[in-house]
Amino acid sequence: MSKAGEHIFEVSSSCPRTWARAAMLTTPHGAVPTPAFTPVGTQATVKSLTPDELSALGAKIVLGNTYHLYLRPGIPLIAELGGLHRFMGWNGSLITDSGGYQVFSLARLRQVSDEGVLFRSHIDGSEHFFTPELAIQLQEALGADIIMAFDECPPYSDDFDAVRESMERTHRWAQRCQESQQRDQALYGIVQGGMFEELRRQSATFITSLGFDGYAIGGLSLGEPKDVTKQIVEETMPLLPKDKPRYLMGVGSPEDLIEGVSRGIDLFDSALPTRIARNGGLFTRKGRCIIRNARFRDWEGPIEDGCDCYTCGNFSAAYLHHLFKCEELLAYRLATLHNLRFVLRLMEEMRQHILDGTFSAFKDSFLGSYQPCDEEVRQAQRQKWMESRNTKFDQD
Amino acid sequence: MSKAGEHIFEVSSSCPRTWARAAMLTTPHGAVPTPAFTPVGTQATVKSLTPDELSALGAKIVLGNTYHLYLRPGIPLIAELGGLHRFMGWNGSLITDSGGYQVFSLARLRQVSDEGVLFRSHIDGSEHFFTPELAIQLQEALGADIIMAFDECPPYSDDFDAVRESMERTHRWAQRCQESQQRDQALYGIVQGGMFEELRRQSATFITSLGFDGYAIGGLSLGEPKDVTKQIVEETMPLLPKDKPRYLMGVGSPEDLIEGVSRGIDLFDSALPTRIARNGGLFTRKGRCIIRNARFRDWEGPIEDGCDCYTCGNFSAAYLHHLFKCEELLAYRLATLHNLRFVLRLMEEMRQHILDGTFSAFKDSFLGSYQPCDEEVRQAQRQKWMESRNTKFDQD
């Protein structure tokens, strides 16, 4: 039974040619027109930006990270100071993830049992134990509008039995999360099952049978080929109830957002747009450009003509190139503003095209001119990021 | 003869008990009520802030750095892109310094002759030669409202003959700067003479005899005791014409700003408020606080009650403490906003008190409750900064 308070989800329009839909998700902190992208505020801040800037960019919902906030500054402290909204000065809607993903990908020396996960902090090596009950309790103390079930996030694997076992544990944990919930936040369940369509179907069937306020597809965008991601989403989607939000976790490149929306996804979150911005990778309608490249040294125009972001409205690409070359703090910020605005505008455009009945043509047109990162480049970048994740810039 | 175009300086009020005065400095980019503090935008950016934020903080004038911009991105490029105002998106008044200070303190392996200075870039070791004529030509290409004569900035020394020789070279260079000026920017002369009162008097007499649009006191705040700084300013001031702006270079701590204003200074610039902000040192009416200190861990209130800055209006000290502990980019920005607002508000208050005839009482009251940094701590911090100046955070 849902314990969510003022949570409403209403679908207003569906695309006749794809599974895309436009809806309104209402939380105690306002309305979120969907499909929506959720910027990632890992440590109670979307890196380099103020809450005012996030609002001005068009963000309606932001994600905070239970694992990171548990380690620093500690969740009792945030609760004592009035909860995560107040702590970070964000008055819009807020999701917290359960910490599952970070425990399994960022922490060290973990031991998984049915009871929970033993892990060591990536910061100081201290030992901690997370259970589904604790993950809910921590998220209740943070007080976000939407909280996530605690799930096991195994790495990309072709071991069917191992993935099934992990999935079944995620299912048992999902029930325990529901049973331990005390507050009236919306609780979303997470479908797992790795890259196996059969397991994904089993997981979707089981998780939806429990009755959550929304459903996330987890365990994707972990380095698998993009066709596999699409296939898994397509297999899962028909099994999720139409009257609840569907959330694809960890997806945030422009092309993936479009593919996800066309497969019926309502919500996305990803640190990708902000992370690559800090590394000088900037989105344009033609694809990603690298602002440090010499061709931008004397580029008088903005990153992208016609872009309505603060950066493009005020600065030349040459200026941004200069800031990156000098490693100036303003570089990371201006780049982040541009990429987030690019992605948030893309969501707004997709929504409008769904409402206008022109989504399918928009999708073809966008993908026709947008050159995604080469798959090999993408894998190499991912590898580099995974290796550097303990540096201060990349702990998303 | 002044070649300045729309440059006007009008004194409107003087303090009856001190030398403090309130005036209006008008440049082609607007009016600057004085006494005024000039935030330092070393590499065409006041570190971490946008031009919009600078305006909102109350900044009317900003300083850019010829030495840094000459090395990166190169001054012809900035000129080609429309000049420094346009390059950095700043529409208020702008000063460039001549590069003298950086050539003598940051660059390596220099050779000084009457002709000019041979130095190596602190970035890549490449060799460059600056002359007074080149310093003017570069500043004309940057196009700031106010440009500075190229001076020799010897280190703090008690060798009278060496300081005199250096001063005399600065005098010859000042004349050459005047003679080579082509554009209608305001050109300010710089008084040198080290810590010797006799030389300071000689220098003030000579430099003012040349007739500049404003007069700077250079070569102070280089690590000498604060009483010496005050003494030198007091000796120099009566020799500077009353109808021109007087500019104390490199001064920016709250207590020094008050002491400078009470000695008749109109303009200041310093990277100190922004540099110490990035290191977590925040100004309050009682003195500087260190936000990383454990006592701020759960501090629910703002850094300073009643502060009108964006940071204090929106965030707890505990949040800022957390951002610094996590080395989050937003930390440097929120701290910079606070310190710059503190200093700019202090200038506004001093001006109002001069206009109201209450400056002297304000000065006593402020200094009575403001605890300056201990002299030993100050020297240690300065030393640490000098040693770390080649890191990206500290190249001011």
Side-chain angles (χ1 to χ4, degrees):
Chain A
M1 195 193 74
S2 164
K3 293 186 182 152
E6 310 157 46
H7 293 270
I8 307 163
F9 181 72
E10 286 177 307
V11 178
S12 41
S13 194
S14 294
C15 171
R17 286 185 197 78
T18 69
W19 294 349
R21 59 192 204 167
M24 191 63 76
L25 171 64
T26 306
T27 82
H29 284 83
V32 183
T34 69
F37 176 78
T38 308
V40 170
T42 308
Q43 303 189 113
T45 161
V46 174
K47 292 188 191 303
S48 85
L49 301 189
T50 60
D52 287 0
E53 282 171 319
L54 286 168
S55 292
L57 286 167
K60 305 289 183 196
I61 185 163
V62 165
L63 180 136
N65 193 293
T66 299
Y67 168 84
H68 284 279
L69 297 172
Y70 164 86
L71 294 177
R72 282 191 310 204
I75 287 173
L77 176 69
I78 296 176
E80 198 183 296
L81 294 170
L84 184 54
H85 275 98
R86 184 159 162 209
F87 185 62
M88 67 189 286
W90 171 247
N91 292 317
S93 297
L94 194 55
I95 305 181
T96 45
D97 70 4
S98 66
Y101 179 72
Q102 284 70 29
V103 162
F104 286 92
S105 66
L106 186 56
R108 282 169 289 174
L109 295 177
R110 57 191 180 272
Q111 235 179 351
V112 190
S113 66
D114 255 24
E115 177 56 17
V117 192
L118 187 73
F119 64 92
R120 285 185 185 277
S121 157
H122 71 288
I123 300 165
D124 62 7
S126 56
E127 211 170 79
H128 305 271
F129 191 65
F130 265 22
T131 62
E133 290 78 10
L134 179 63
I136 294 300
Q137 191 189 321
L138 294 171
Q139 290 184 88
E140 293 191 334
L142 289 171
D145 302 291
I146 299 170
I147 65 176
M148 302 301 299
F150 187 68
D151 59 339
E152 182 169 350
C153 301
Y156 178 34
S157 158
D158 57 5
D159 180 341
F160 183 89
D161 288 339
V163 173
R164 189 189 55 200
E165 200 175 311
S166 158
M167 176 196 77
E168 285 168 353
R169 180 175 288 133
T170 286
H171 293 176
R172 291 189 292 275
W173 286 0
Q175 273 183 297
R176 284 165 56 191
C177 285
Q178 273 193 325
E179 286 157 12
S180 67
Q181 194 186 6
Q182 303 283 331
R183 287 191 53 183
D184 63 349
Q185 297 157 291
L187 173 60
Y188 285 21
I190 304 178
V191 174
Q192 287 286 355
M195 306 306 152
F196 300 100
E197 295 175 14
E198 181 190 335
L199 295 181
R200 286 282 169 179
R201 280 192 298 269
Q202 276 183 32
S203 187
T205 304
F206 182 84
I207 293 290
T208 56
S209 77
L210 296 178
F212 284 94
D213 301 305
Y215 296 94
I217 304 179
L220 291 181
S221 221
L222 295 180
E224 75 278 5
K226 291 206 172 197
D227 284 344
V228 174
T229 320
K230 289 181 207 169
Q231 185 61 31
I232 294 293
V233 172
E234 278 173 25
E235 287 298 324
T236 309
M237 197 55 63
L239 300 169
L240 302 181
K242 284 195 175 355
D243 61 344
K244 298 289 178 194
R246 303 147 169 180
Y247 171 14
L248 183 54
M249 303 186 85
V251 162
S253 73
E255 69 276 21
D256 291 353
L257 291 170
I258 290 202
E259 297 289 0
V261 166
S262 81
R263 283 166 182 79
I265 299 291
D266 306 300
L267 275 178
F268 301 85
D269 83 281
S270 170
L272 182 121
T274 45
R275 189 176 63 238
I276 68 164
R278 295 192 305 278
N279 288 312
L282 297 171
F283 295 139
T284 76
R285 285 278 167 162
K286 291 181 182 165
R288 209 186 285 183
C289 72
I290 308 299
I291 191 67
R292 288 177 200 265
N293 279 356
R295 70 186 176 106
F296 292 111
R297 207 192 76 89
D298 58 357
W299 190 294
E300 195 168 359
I303 303 300
E304 178 155 58
D305 282 322
C307 173
D308 63 357
C309 86
Y310 176 77
T311 304
C312 287
N314 288 278
F315 304 100
S316 60
Y319 182 64
L320 209 54
H321 174 86
H322 163 67
L323 295 181
F324 266 98
K325 284 283 183 179
C326 294
E327 299 181 55
E328 277 286 350
L329 291 170
L330 188 57
Y332 312 118
R333 187 177 159 197
L334 293 181
T336 301
L337 286 172
H338 174 81
N339 273 8
L340 273 186
R341 182 61 200 140
F342 185 95
V343 165
L344 291 166
R345 188 176 57 228
L346 176 60
M347 303 312 289
E348 291 167 9
E349 285 171 340
M350 285 197 277
R351 186 170 201 276
Q352 194 56 52
H353 281 288
I354 297 168
L355 294 172
D356 294 347
T358 52
F359 173 76
S360 182
F362 173 76
K363 178 188 171 187
D364 292 345
S365 154
F366 185 94
L367 294 179
S369 57
Y370 190 89
Q371 178 66 46
C373 247
D374 184 81
E375 186 72 14
E376 261 180 67
V377 172
R378 199 171 70 88
Q379 294 292 353
Q381 284 180 343
R382 190 184 161 78
Q383 190 56 38
K384 196 175 144 196
W385 167 58
M386 293 303 285
E387 285 161 10
S388 74
R389 259 181 108 198
N390 284 334
T391 69
K392 66 180 172 186
F393 271 18
D394 280 314
Q395 277 168 6
D396 290 311
Chain B
M1 195 194 75
S2 164
K3 293 185 183 152
E6 310 156 45
H7 293 271
I8 307 164
F9 182 71
E10 286 178 307
V11 178
S12 40
S13 194
S14 293
C15 170
R17 287 184 196 79
T18 69
W19 295 349
R21 58 192 204 166
M24 191 63 77
L25 171 65
T26 306
T27 82
H29 284 83
V32 182
T34 69
F37 176 78
T38 309
V40 170
T42 308
Q43 303 190 112
T45 160
V46 174
K47 291 189 191 306
S48 85
L49 301 189
T50 60
D52 287 0
E53 283 172 318
L54 286 169
S55 292
L57 286 167
K60 303 289 183 196
I61 185 163
V62 165
L63 181 136
N65 193 292
T66 299
Y67 168 84
H68 283 279
L69 297 173
Y70 164 86
L71 294 177
R72 282 192 310 205
I75 287 173
L77 175 68
I78 296 177
E80 197 183 296
L81 294 170
L84 184 55
H85 274 99
R86 185 161 161 206
F87 186 62
M88 66 189 286
W90 172 246
N91 292 317
S93 298
L94 193 56
I95 305 181
T96 46
D97 71 3
S98 65
Y101 178 72
Q102 284 70 28
V103 162
F104 285 93
S105 67
L106 186 56
R108 281 170 288 174
L109 294 178
R110 56 192 182 272
Q111 233 179 351
V112 190
S113 67
D114 254 26
E115 177 57 18
V117 192
L118 187 73
F119 64 91
R120 285 186 186 277
S121 157
H122 71 288
I123 300 166
D124 62 6
S126 56
E127 211 170 79
H128 304 272
F129 191 66
F130 264 22
T131 62
E133 290 78 11
L134 180 63
I136 294 300
Q137 191 189 321
L138 294 171
Q139 291 184 89
E140 293 191 333
L142 289 171
D145 302 291
I146 300 170
I147 64 175
M148 302 302 297
F150 187 68
D151 59 339
E152 182 169 349
C153 300
Y156 178 34
S157 157
D158 56 5
D159 180 340
F160 183 90
D161 288 340
V163 174
R164 189 188 56 201
E165 200 176 311
S166 158
M167 176 196 78
E168 286 168 352
R169 180 175 288 133
T170 286
H171 292 176
R172 291 188 294 274
W173 286 0
Q175 274 184 295
R176 284 165 56 191
C177 285
Q178 274 193 324
E179 286 157 11
S180 68
Q181 195 187 5
Q182 303 281 332
R183 287 191 53 182
D184 63 349
Q185 296 157 295
L187 173 61
Y188 285 22
I190 305 178
V191 174
Q192 287 286 355
M195 306 306 152
F196 300 101
E197 296 176 13
E198 183 190 333
L199 295 181
R200 285 283 169 177
R201 282 192 297 270
Q202 277 182 32
S203 186
T205 304
F206 182 85
I207 293 289
T208 56
S209 77
L210 296 178
F212 285 94
D213 301 306
Y215 296 95
I217 304 179
L220 291 181
S221 222
L222 294 181
E224 75 279 4
K226 291 207 170 194
D227 283 344
V228 174
T229 320
K230 290 181 206 169
Q231 185 61 30
I232 295 293
V233 172
E234 278 173 25
E235 287 297 324
T236 309
M237 197 54 63
L239 300 168
L240 302 181
K242 283 197 178 349
D243 62 343
K244 297 289 178 196
R246 302 145 169 182
Y247 170 16
L248 183 53
M249 304 186 83
V251 162
S253 73
E255 69 275 20
D256 291 354
L257 291 170
I258 290 204
E259 297 290 0
V261 167
S262 80
R263 283 165 182 80
I265 300 291
D266 306 300
L267 275 177
F268 301 85
D269 84 279
S270 170
L272 182 122
T274 45
R275 189 177 63 239
I276 68 165
R278 296 192 304 278
N279 288 311
L282 296 171
F283 295 138
T284 77
R285 286 278 168 162
K286 291 182 181 164
R288 209 186 285 182
C289 73
I290 308 300
I291 191 66
R292 289 178 199 265
N293 279 355
R295 68 185 177 108
F296 290 111
R297 207 190 75 89
D298 57 357
W299 190 295
E300 195 167 359
I303 302 302
E304 179 156 59
D305 282 321
C307 174
D308 63 358
C309 85
Y310 175 77
T311 304
C312 287
N314 288 278
F315 304 100
S316 61
Y319 182 64
L320 209 54
H321 174 86
H322 163 68
L323 295 180
F324 267 99
K325 284 283 182 178
C326 294
E327 299 181 54
E328 277 286 351
L329 291 170
L330 188 57
Y332 312 117
R333 187 177 159 197
L334 292 181
T336 301
L337 286 172
H338 174 81
N339 273 8
L340 273 187
R341 181 62 201 141
F342 185 95
V343 165
L344 291 165
R345 188 176 57 228
L346 176 60
M347 303 311 288
E348 291 166 9
E349 286 172 339
M350 285 198 277
R351 186 170 201 276
Q352 194 56 51
H353 281 289
I354 297 168
L355 293 172
D356 294 347
T358 52
F359 173 76
S360 183
F362 173 76
K363 178 188 172 188
D364 292 345
S365 154
F366 186 94
L367 294 179
S369 58
Y370 190 89
Q371 179 66 48
C373 246
D374 184 80
E375 186 71 15
E376 261 180 66
V377 172
R378 199 170 70 87
Q379 295 292 353
Q381 285 180 343
R382 190 184 161 76
Q383 190 57 38
K384 197 175 143 196
W385 167 58
M386 293 303 284
E387 285 160 12
S388 73
R389 259 180 108 199
N390 284 334
T391 68
K392 67 180 171 185
F393 270 19
D394 280 313
Q395 278 169 4
D396 290 311

